[in-house]
Amino acid sequence: MNFEIKSMDLSAAAAGKADALVILVPQGFGPVKGVLGDLIGAVLKAGDFEAKAGKLLAMYNVAGVAAKRVVLAGCEAGTARQVRQAVSAAVTALKVPNVRRLLVCFAAPADDAALRMAVQAAADASYVYTTTKSKPEPRALAEVVLGVPDAAPSQAAFALAVATVRGVELAKEWANRPGNHATPTLLAGAARELGKMAHVQCEVLGPRQVAKLGMGAFMAVARGSEEELRFIVLRYTGAPKNEAPTVLVGKGITFDSGGISIKPAPEMDEMKYDMCGAASVLGVFRSLAELKPAINVVGLIPSCENLPDGRAVKPGDVVTSMSGQTIEILNTDAEGRLVLCDALTYAERFQPRAVVDIATLTGACVIALGGVRSGMFASTDALAASLSTAGDDAMDLCWRMPLDEEYADGLKTHFADVANVGGRPAGAITAAKYLQRFTAKYPWGHLDIAGTAWKGGAAKGATGRPVPLLLHFLLAQAPAQGTTADAAKAPAGKRASAARRKV
Ligand code: BES
Ligand code: MN
Ligand code: ZN
């Protein structure tokens, strides 16, 4: 999908060549001259249209308007949230084969956040999954032109939104693919593709290398599957090499049956989404390659299937993690923390400024926060604040959860250093407490995206979250807005003094 931003008023919008024209109408829309101004004034006066967010009025063949279809979309006060709702409703209504080029026009000036949401909502509402259909009906919408009163000051926000869309769509694509079309090996292939982009490198480790590293917890999960595990290492180098990276770790369970502690059959298919953390890491790298910020980022993806088998790990088995800590696997369905803990230990070698893992980790997090906010945990207040702010800025919300030591009590066992489950109460927190044991060497954040990464039911599909949050979080660490990887190659002294924000 192609995006453009242009300066235009309502008269230019009326003349604009497009299959459909969406006009975002704020409350208190004043008299504006011209055919569209008259039209909006008339329908508001007649009470046939309200500028409330989500309200639409669709018209066809309006005299004096070049686009055949005109949709008025109320956006109330024009907040980012309201614009998102308005564009989402309008683009959903226009999801028909003939609408290929769409013009979305702001009747009043919009702030950067509202503009970003218009781009992202248009992409989101028009997205279609096609990969495993035999007669795919691809997305009709191919071009979105954003019309704003003055485009010049909004270029950076627009570029950020377009890059976010690229990342979100890559994440959705891999998340939505069925388990047999998104194996660990295929995920590694997707990462290798990203490795061809400027400033991105990819390395993939297989079973032998992972065994040599001593990742006994990760290997235990992979034992029950015929599919070989993969450990994916992505690097984005936009700043000088000696600058400490931020490490993202994405849970990459390409199918979670629960293993020997097998899950019930209903909705088990949704466990193809158990690699949404991994998909979000791939998505973020796609966005970084587009934006080229002057930062360093490492992405780690431990990927395998969790299946029952004669060779599968059994409840009660004790394994040794890469950290040296022994783990009693009391429930093989608590496998995410097992693959993540070894990746968190591996992360130490980068001497990172911070490590954030992203995982569809617990059903308990879905019960706690539903699909609105991701669960967020952090070992420092500064990192928690950065993640929380990033979520707010990106409108990809998260909510901080506690890490009191008492929550770790249930993880005690007589037979190993730690057990992999701690009972039913506060399940999202005990999972985080387990992970925290492996993160002593750096500031650590954890996003439990079990409720937010995909939608179930009739609207089943990946959301691409939390790519927007992660991208905002990483960009907030760049030395100055607008600084690109290529500019960062200049000698350090010549660069704007990097007053780095502490995480
Ligand atoms: N991938 C699941 C978590 C999950 C479940 C996400 C449902 C979204 C919807 C994870 O591997 C898991 O099975 N967790 C168990 C942990 C339990 C055994 C302590 C859970 O949440 O039930
Ligand atoms: Mn599980
Ligand atoms: Zn899982």
Side-chain angles (χ1 to χ4, degrees), residues 251 256 263 271 274 331 333 335 360-363 421 450 454:
K251 173 179 173 183
D256 179 15
K263 288 180 182 292
M271 283 299 115
D274 215 15
N331 189 322
D333 198 9
E335 85 297 339
T360 48
L361 202 62
T362 64
V421 289
W454 79 91

Side-chain angles (χ1 to χ4, degrees), residues 31-76:
V32 175
K33 277 194 189 144
V35 53
L36 284 170
D38 291 347
L39 177 71
I40 298 167
V43 295
L44 284 171
K45 198 170 165 209
D48 286 321
F49 173 65
E50 267 185 294
K52 276 207 183 130
K55 292 274 182 197
L56 300 179
L57 181 66
M59 289 162 283
Y60 198 74
N61 271 348
V62 177
V65 180
K68 259 191 195 161
R69 303 161 192 84
V70 177
V71 174
L72 304 185
C75 68
E76 255 175 86

